[in-house]
């Protein structure tokens, strides 16, 4: 049976070069504890980590010391948000109702435990942020300790945030800016020297690297103010104690390096796949509805979100049986088959929620037009 994997926003397949570099590291006696620098085994492991950190920093144009390795996106977002409240003494957090659950749930937890005041910035029915409302709220809390937490590209509808405008407002009102950049870093170019973030997050399995490894970018001026959430050794500048996942780190750095060498071609291919998919959907599925800005240039080309014009909780499984892997939204929030994601619930017209089925289609490096043809054929067979 032909198979089309179209859930790359959830996770991506490993590139063969990434597998090879990890296997090589597993085989070549790089088993030493990187903190045991008294002997060559430990120093060898330590050098692999620091060489990887340097390679990553070059690819995103940051200082090596601004990169802190973690287990992935959820830990990274938690570490930044919780450390900001505990150690930067953040009193007010401004965010949006369509952030990833690792941001929303963490912020709500901080609000209840530490009396942090949270306000949600207005989002319209296309998922676009109201910059005027953001400025109004920043002005309201001027001279307070404020953190703005907004994702660069929404992981469900693909909408792109105007990060420069948000960054300028944060600077104007003396607020810190954290961005969940997990759908961006490793897939599209980013220059941290000129980016407006104080904090950003990345996860290797979103850009053809291994699961269980990611990193935080922390602006160098803030590194010394951040402290660990768990106590232990002095690994990762004392911010994230615990023996590092060396094999994951080397896989992450190789994946990022490979992606950085082909950002232009990757983006071009994603755009071609996306517009071909949009065209075929419009041609073959009457009354289809596009969610967010996913059918415009104001979203990343690798994510497309639609309402399929029929209410069917088993649609995803029917497609899977026909060889097509798609999702209803974020994999971190998909355990309840009947529950529509908080993002779609917030922006969608209620009549669509009652009568249609939300679907996220996300393209990747290994996809071709034939995968979209398979998806369209499956939709047609289900419709008939």
């Amino acid at each position: 049976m032909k198979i089309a994997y179209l859930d790359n926003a959830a996770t991506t397949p490993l590139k063969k070069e990434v597998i090879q570099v990890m296997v090589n590291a597993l085989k070549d006696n790089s088993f030493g504890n990187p903190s045991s620098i008294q002997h060559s085994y430990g120093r060898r492991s330590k050098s692999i980590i620091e060489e990887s950190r340097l390679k990553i920093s070059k690819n995103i144009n940051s200082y090596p010391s601004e990169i802190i390795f973690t287990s992935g996106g959820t830990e990274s977002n938690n570490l930044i948000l919780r450390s900001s409240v505990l150690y930067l003494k953040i009193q007010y957090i401004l965010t949006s109702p369509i952030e990833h659950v690792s941001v929303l749930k963490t912020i709500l937890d901080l609000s209840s435990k530490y009396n942090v005041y949270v306000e949600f910035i207005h989002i319209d029915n296309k998922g676009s942020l109201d910059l005027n409302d953001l400025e109004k709220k920043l002005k309201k809390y001027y001279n307070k300790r404020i953190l703005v937490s907004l994702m660069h590209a929404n992981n469900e509808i693909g909408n792109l945030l105007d990060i420069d405008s948000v960054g300028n407002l944060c600077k104007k009102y003396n607020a810190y800016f954290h961005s969940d950049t997990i759908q961006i870093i490793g897939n599209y170019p980013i220059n941290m020297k000129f980016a407006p973030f104080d904090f950003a997050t990345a996860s290797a399995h979103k850009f053809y690297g291994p699961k269980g490894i990611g990193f935080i970018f922390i602006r160098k001026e803030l590194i010394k103010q951040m402290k660990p959430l768990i106590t232990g050794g002095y690994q990762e500048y004392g911010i994230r104690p615990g023996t590092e996942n060396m094999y994951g780190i080397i896989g992450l750095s190789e994946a990022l390096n490979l992606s950085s060498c082909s950002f232009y071609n990757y983006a071009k291919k994603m755009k071609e796949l996306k517009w071909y998919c949009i065209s075929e959907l419009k041609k073959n599925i009457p009354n289809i509805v596009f969610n967010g800005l996913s059918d415009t240039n104001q979203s990343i080309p690798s994510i497309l979100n639609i309402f399929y014009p029929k209410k069917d909780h088993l649609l995803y499984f029917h497609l899977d049986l026909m060889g097509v892997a798609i999702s209803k939204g974020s994999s971190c929030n998909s355990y309840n088959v009947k529950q529509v994601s908080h993002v779609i619930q917030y922006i969608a017209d209620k009549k669509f929620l009652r009568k249609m089925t939300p679907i996220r289609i996300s393209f990747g490096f290994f996809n071709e037009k034939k995968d979209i043809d398979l998806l369209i054929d499956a939709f047609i067979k289900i419709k008939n």
Side-chain angles (χ1 to χ4, degrees):
M1 182 174 68
K2 293 179 181 178
I3 296 173
Y5 179 76
L6 293 167
D7 195 22
N8 290 276
T11 195
T12 53
L14 280 163
K15 286 184 177 176
K16 64 180 186 298
E17 298 92 338
V18 174
I19 295 172
Q20 192 57 57
V21 78
M22 293 177 72
V23 168
N24 290 345
L26 285 161
K27 286 180 175 179
D28 72 355
N29 279 334
S30 300
F31 63 84
N33 189 315
S35 295
S36 297
I37 56 174
Q38 298 81 9
H39 52 68
S40 60
Y41 295 99
R43 290 193 297 272
R44 167 64 180 150
S45 296
K46 181 67 172 175
S47 70
I48 288 173
I49 290 173
E50 295 312 317
E51 286 165 11
S52 297
R53 198 189 314 270
L54 180 62
K55 189 188 292 186
I56 292 164
S57 68
K58 286 180 177 178
N59 281 315
I60 65 171
N61 197 18
S62 73
Y63 294 100
S65 60
E66 293 176 320
I67 305 299
I68 307 296
F69 293 117
T70 67
S71 64
T74 293
E75 183 193 352
S76 295
N77 286 329
N78 266 264
L79 201 157
I80 290 168
L81 293 167
R82 294 182 187 279
S83 295
S84 295
V85 168
L86 291 173
Y87 307 123
L88 296 181
K89 304 302 180 186
I90 292 297
Q91 302 164 299
Y92 299 86
I93 297 178
L94 304 182
T95 189
S96 89
I98 61 170
E99 300 300 303
H100 189 272
V101 289
S102 67
V103 169
L104 289 178
K105 287 187 176 182
T106 304
I107 288 174
L108 293 175
D109 185 52
L110 290 167
S111 175
S112 65
K113 287 181 179 176
Y114 300 102
N115 295 318
V116 175
Y117 193 78
V118 178
E119 282 217 40
F120 293 96
I121 303 152
H122 178 66
I123 298 289
D124 68 18
N125 63 1
K126 282 291 185 180
S128 296
L129 183 91
D130 185 339
L131 287 169
N132 291 327
D133 188 48
L134 172 60
E135 181 163 22
K136 179 183 173 182
K137 287 177 168 63
L138 283 167
K139 191 182 293 184
K140 179 180 173 182
Y141 301 119
Y142 189 50
N143 286 330
K144 304 292 185 182
R145 298 191 73 81
I146 311 168
L147 176 71
V148 173
S149 181
L150 296 167
M151 66 199 327
H152 192 342
N154 189 277
N155 62 308
E156 295 198 30
I157 56 177
N159 283 21
L160 281 165
L161 179 71
D162 183 350
I163 58 169
D164 291 327
S165 293
V166 172
N168 288 335
L169 287 174
C170 289
K171 188 174 181 180
K172 179 179 178 181
Y173 293 100
N174 200 29
Y176 296 104
F177 183 15
H178 159 243
S179 187
D180 175 339
T181 51
I182 287 166
Q183 293 295 335
I184 293 290
I185 290 182
N187 287 313
Y188 305 97
I190 193 164
N191 187 331
M192 287 302 184
K193 184 177 180 181
F194 300 107
F197 316 122
D198 295 299
F199 310 99
T201 51
S203 188
H205 75 105
K206 305 295 186 179
F207 51 91
Y208 313 97
K211 296 174 183 65
I213 186 69
F215 68 84
I216 303 170
F217 164 83
I218 303 178
R219 191 72 61 188
K220 62 184 175 67
E221 293 83 2
L222 296 172
I223 287 280
K224 289 184 179 179
Q225 297 180 58
M226 304 299 281
K227 296 178 183 178
L229 293 181
I230 57 173
T231 51
Y234 195 74
Q235 293 92 344
E236 297 306 298
Y237 304 98
I239 293 172
R240 205 276 190 174
T243 303
E244 298 94 337
N245 175 3
M246 186 190 74
Y247 307 110
I249 289 169
I250 196 172
L252 184 160
S253 67
E254 179 67 12
L256 182 58
N257 195 54
L258 289 168
S259 295
S260 299
C261 294
S262 59
F263 278 145
Y264 174 79
N265 290 334
Y266 176 82
K268 182 173 180 287
K269 181 178 182 179
M270 294 306 101
K271 285 179 182 177
E272 289 173 355
L273 289 172
K274 185 173 186 176
W275 291 114
Y276 178 69
C277 188
I278 290 170
S279 172
E280 292 299 301
L281 286 168
K282 287 179 177 179
K283 191 189 306 180
N284 292 283
I285 314 296
N287 303 317
I288 196 167
V289 174
F290 294 93
N291 292 315
L293 299 169
S294 55
D295 60 336
T296 75
N297 286 318
Q298 294 173 278
S299 67
I300 53 173
S302 47
I303 293 179
L304 184 63
N305 199 297
I306 64 170
F307 265 128
Y308 181 76
K310 181 182 178 183
K311 192 70 172 178
D312 182 359
H313 297 306
L314 297 177
L315 178 63
Y316 318 104
F317 299 107
H318 292 324
L319 289 169
D320 185 40
L321 291 171
M322 299 168 82
V324 178
I326 50 86
S327 67
K328 65 175 181 178
S330 172
S331 53
C332 289
N333 204 27
S334 64
Y335 292 102
N336 187 336
V337 176
K338 294 184 179 181
Q339 182 68 43
V340 177
S341 84
H342 67 285
V343 175
I344 301 303
Q345 284 189 56
Y346 189 84
I347 67 171
D349 189 309
K350 297 297 181 285
K351 67 182 180 185
F352 295 147
L353 289 172
R354 288 193 301 269
K355 298 179 180 180
M356 301 175 123
T357 306
I359 292 174
R360 181 183 67 180
I361 305 162
S362 47
F363 315 105
F365 178 83
F366 296 103
N367 288 130
E368 302 294 343
K369 286 184 177 179
K370 64 182 181 181
D371 297 318
I372 295 166
D373 293 337
L374 192 61
L375 170 69
I376 301 299
D377 286 345
F379 276 144
I380 292 170
K381 288 173 183 174
I382 290 170
K383 184 180 67 172
N384 295 334

